[in-house]
Amino acid sequence: MGFGRPSNTESSSGAPPDRGSFPLDHEGECKEYMKVYMQCLRENKNNNGACRELSKAYLQCRMDKGLMDKDDMRNLGYADIMKSPSSSGEK
């Protein structure tokens, strides 16, 4: 008996993790990016706005190494710091 859950939940379909969850970097492939980002946070009193380029680089590393699904940086909240030829000189 499942007590509040379907009886077949023990069998997993092997589906990928939900968006926003990703595997740990056990091999340390992006560790340097993470360390630089964390140092920036410490130096800026945890003001992540001052370290956005570094967090973007960390996420790009994770995507490049297959530690998370590839996605457009605009979808990850970096639309305002995207560099494109058509947006240069505007503001």
Side-chain angles (χ1 to χ4, degrees), residues 7-87:
S7 60
N8 64 349
T9 58
E10 287 79 23
S11 63
S12 172
S13 66
D18 292 335
R19 181 181 173 99
S21 64
F22 42 81
L24 296 176
D25 186 5
H26 292 291
E27 303 297 319
E29 296 177 88
C30 297
K31 187 174 185 174
E32 288 304 313
Y33 289 95
M34 183 267 303
K35 288 167 87 176
V36 171
Y37 173 66
M38 296 304 292
Q39 181 64 36
C40 180
L41 287 176
R42 282 191 289 277
E43 291 171 358
N44 290 284
K45 298 178 182 168
N46 292 322
N47 175 5
N48 65 344
C51 307
R52 291 193 71 221
E53 286 288 343
L54 297 171
S55 65
K56 180 180 165 216
Y58 173 66
L59 290 176
Q60 187 64 56
C61 177
R62 291 189 63 87
M63 287 188 280
D64 293 345
K65 303 292 184 180
L67 295 168
M68 64 183 279
D69 288 338
K70 291 189 182 275
D71 201 343
D72 190 302
M73 285 295 175
R74 289 175 185 89
N75 295 335
L76 298 175
Y78 295 95
D80 60 320
I81 60 173
M82 293 298 296
K83 295 178 179 119
S84 68
S86 63
S87 67

